Amino acid sequence: MALVAPALAIVIAFFALPAVRLIATGASGPLGWRAYAAVLVQPRYATSLVETIVISAATTLAALALAGTLAVIVARARFPGRAALIAALTLPLAFPGVVVGFLVIAMGGRIGIVNAISSALGGPRIVFAYSLVGLFVGYLYFSLPRVFLTMLGAAEQLDASLEDAARSLGARPWQVVRDVLLPGLQPALIAAGAICFATAMGAFGTAFTLATRLDVLPMVIYTAFTLDADIATAATLSVVLGVVTWATLLLARNATGAETAAAG
Amino acid sequence: MKPARLAAILLTVATVAFLLVPVALSILVGFETDASDGPLGGLTLRWFAQVWSDDGATVGRSLTIAVVTTAVVALAGVPLAYVLATARRRWARVLEELVAVPIAVPGLALALALIEAYGGWGAFRGSSWFIVCGHVLFTLPFLTRSVLAALASSDLETLEAAAAALGAGPAQRFRDVVLPLARPGLVTGALMVFTLSIGEFNLTWMLHTPLTPTLPVGLADAYASLRLEVASAYTTLFFVIVVPVLLVLQWIARRTQARGVV
């Protein structure tokens, strides 16, 4: 018991107690505990919550499709420089959201690469960094390496002879994907997707750097806390956000847990 | 060449370009005299000198916070992982869940909770320790999992029983059996914690004060208010600190995997 004391003390002092306090603060506004129900129907916050869920879901689907495909490609191929390719694809793992926001500006800002190439070719002015597209590109950039790493691990564990068997039995390529690859990768897809979604829901740095007027939930919370000094609302929204991300991960784990049990 | 193979190569190249071209570009801009003239307009180290003289202390603070965080997390996480690896009881699973919850909760919410609970303790609130608390909470699950994985893949219980039968006490067993078995996980976990701490922004932006900015906070300020060349030089400085650690992590992962196959 003494061995777990330091970890337990940290989690209780810096998470459990503050979380209880935050939940109480969320109910300290004029509405009391009803504030939690109220933020879900109040148009400004409800819209923000829906927008955040939509952009996070879009990011998750795009990241799973792209990183999942790449993971299968890299897992099956053997070529010189493979290790370097994996290193290149996972390098941005260490970049925080703020830095990713800056890289989006380097791509799609006023003097970004895309605009430079377009104007050099006599094309139109293309600036997307500060719009919804820029935010999506940033979230995708942030998620790709993480999802790729999880999917690569799963794809390497998958028995390649199953695909060969399906092919030799006359399965078309799309049938191999549908009937062999996707079922085999499903637990990893769910796990990586859930983490990707939860991370995107709470992402703050990218939106902060892009300084867009997009009301993703973390930006709304930040604005409520700092500019409006509406600490009760900031707390209510934080608790809602935390519950959404935590529940997503819990659901995903139960789903993959059931999956593994069924397979075993 | 078969079309499917060509498509696979194109997709891979396009993704690598998407990930690395902006990095290369922002490094290049940090050396340019004037970003609107491009690299042919002249190269300079002036922006790096400016970042270093203005924000060298910030970089130093970030490194200190990362080292302290790693040390605290290792001291708390290794014993925890040992208990989780050996205890079969239900409470151990509950404890594992409890420690992992902070990963699932957005940093902004964790930071607000910390401020709500301890914001009134002026000296603590204003110190770098406040940031360390947030970082420790957020990174503890990563190191614990990494060490737990190393212990779970070893024959911990048999070895410990053998050591006990030979007369080794608990302290000696921990030092001579548990720690060596935990070491691969500890090294990976510690490097991961260090990288996470150096780059942490979601929590830190709320937890820092004007007197305790960290590297990502300095970056955010540079992006908001300084010229592009300085912001790029600052970003490059961040890459220089964080990328080597990441490469070592990748190298360890490859080596472990190669050994696993053999």
Side-chain angles (χ1 to χ4, degrees), chain A residues 1 3-4 6-8 10-19 21-22 25 66 69-70 73-74 83-99 101-107 111-113 137-138 140-141 144-146 156 198 201-205 208-209 217-219 221-222 225-226 231 234-235 238-239 241-242 245-246 249-250 253, chain B residues 7-9 11-12 15-16 18-23 25-26 35-36 72-73 75-77 79-80 82-84 91 95 97-110 112-118 124 133-134 136-137 140 145 174 195-196 198-202 205-206 216-217 219-221 223 228 231-232 235 238-239 242-243 246-247 250 254 257:
Chain A
M1 205 59 212
L3 288 173
V4 296
L8 204 57
I10 288 168
V11 175
I12 290 174
F14 301 128
F15 176 69
L17 294 178
R21 184 78 188 264
L22 190 72
T25 307
L66 183 52
T69 311
L70 285 172
I73 293 171
V74 174
L85 175 66
I86 295 176
L89 286 169
T90 51
L91 189 72
L93 269 177
F95 303 170
V98 252
V99 171
F102 184 66
L103 296 175
V104 172
I105 295 175
M107 276 185 262
I111 57 168
I113 324 158
V137 169
L140 184 62
Y141 188 103
L144 269 181
R146 281 152 236 270
E156 278 177 343
M201 285 295 293
F204 173 59
F208 187 82
T209 302
L217 203 50
M219 284 303 276
I221 294 172
Y222 176 68
F225 187 73
T226 52
I231 292 149
S238 300
V239 172
L241 181 62
T245 53
W246 179 70
L249 291 172
L250 202 65
R253 236 196 4 207
Chain B
I9 292 173
L11 186 71
T12 311
T15 310
V16 171
F18 169 62
L19 293 176
L20 295 191
V21 168
V23 174
L25 192 82
S26 65
S36 49
V72 173
V73 167
L75 286 176
L80 173 66
Y82 168 70
V83 170
L84 293 179
W91 61 263
L95 187 62
E97 285 301 306
L98 182 68
V99 173
V101 175
I103 297 191
V105 178
L108 197 62
L110 290 179
L112 277 184
L114 276 171
I115 292 172
E116 272 304 293
Y118 302 111
F124 177 49
C133 288
V136 164
L137 184 66
L140 179 62
R145 272 185 198 172
F174 193 80
T195 344
L196 286 169
I198 283 280
E200 213 299 316
F201 178 76
N202 293 354
W205 182 255
M206 305 298 288
V217 169
L219 282 170
D221 284 337
Y223 298 154
L228 186 64
S232 298
T235 310
F238 174 77
F239 291 152
V242 107
V243 170
L246 199 75
L247 291 177
Q250 290 176 334
R254 260 205 313 281
Q257 202 185 26

Side-chain angles (χ1 to χ4, degrees), chain A residues 45-264:
Chain A
Y45 302 131
T47 315
S48 163
L49 182 60
V50 170
E51 269 180 20
T52 314
I53 289 176
V54 169
I55 190 169
S56 303
T59 305
T60 305
L61 290 179
L64 285 179
L66 183 52
T69 311
L70 285 172
V72 173
I73 293 171
V74 174
R76 294 286 174 268
R78 286 288 175 275
F79 54 93
R82 184 174 177 271
L85 175 66
I86 295 176
L89 286 169
T90 51
L91 189 72
L93 269 177
F95 303 170
V98 252
V99 171
V100 172
F102 184 66
L103 296 175
V104 172
I105 295 175
M107 276 185 262
R110 286 178 202 94
I111 57 168
I113 324 158
V114 173
N115 196 31
I117 293 174
S118 175
S119 55
L121 298 173
R125 200 175 115 88
I126 304 175
V127 176
F128 61 79
Y130 311 96
S131 68
L132 193 63
V133 178
L135 199 61
F136 172 75
V137 169
Y139 283 12
L140 184 62
Y141 188 103
F142 191 87
S143 315
L144 269 181
R146 281 152 236 270
V147 177
F148 173 75
L149 208 56
T150 311
M151 295 311 300
L152 182 66
E156 278 177 343
Q157 303 246 308
L158 211 61
D159 191 352
S161 60
L162 286 176
E163 290 155 58
D164 297 336
R167 253 180 243 117
S168 66
L169 290 171
R172 321 279 314 152
W174 63 267
Q175 284 176 319
V176 176
V177 171
R178 191 195 61 184
D179 297 332
V180 180
L181 279 178
L182 283 182
L185 294 175
Q186 197 189 6
L189 283 169
I190 294 176
I195 293 173
C196 180
F197 180 80
T199 313
M201 285 295 293
F204 173 59
T206 310
F208 187 82
T209 302
L210 293 176
T212 40
R213 297 181 51 77
L214 299 162
D215 276 336
V216 285
L217 203 50
M219 284 303 276
V220 173
I221 294 172
Y222 176 68
T223 314
F225 187 73
T226 52
L227 299 181
D228 309 339
D230 185 354
I231 292 149
T233 306
T236 315
L237 291 170
S238 300
V239 172
V240 170
L241 181 62
V243 168
V244 170
T245 53
W246 179 70
T248 308
L249 291 172
L250 202 65
L251 279 176
R253 236 196 4 207
N254 285 341
T256 49
E259 202 66 43
T260 325

Side-chain angles (χ1 to χ4, degrees), chain B residues 117-135:
Chain B
Y118 302 111
W121 303 12
F124 177 49
R125 170 75 182 93
S127 73
S128 298
W129 287 106
F130 200 49
I131 300 174
V132 170
C133 288
H135 287 198

Side-chain angles (χ1 to χ4, degrees), chain A residues 156, chain B residues 250-262:
Chain A
E156 278 177 343
Chain B
Q250 290 176 334
W251 177 73
I252 293 175
R254 260 205 313 281
R255 216 184 43 169
T256 321
Q257 202 185 26
R259 222 191 277 143
V261 171
V262 175

Side-chain angles (χ1 to χ4, degrees), chain B residues 35-111:
Chain B
S36 49
D37 295 342
L40 300 178
L43 299 174
T44 177
L45 287 174
R46 194 198 317 164
W47 314 123
F48 283 91
Q50 185 184 330
V51 168
W52 193 248
S53 70
D54 291 354
D55 273 35
T58 300
V59 177
R61 181 176 304 104
S62 256
L63 289 170
T64 311
I65 289 177
V67 169
V68 172
T69 300
T70 310
V72 173
V73 167
L75 286 176
V78 173
L80 173 66
Y82 168 70
V83 170
L84 293 179
T86 46
R88 294 277 167 274
R89 300 289 181 80
R90 197 173 164 74
W91 61 263
R93 299 286 81 78
V94 174
L95 187 62
E96 195 175 358
E97 285 301 306
L98 182 68
V99 173
V101 175
I103 297 191
V105 178
L108 197 62
L110 290 179

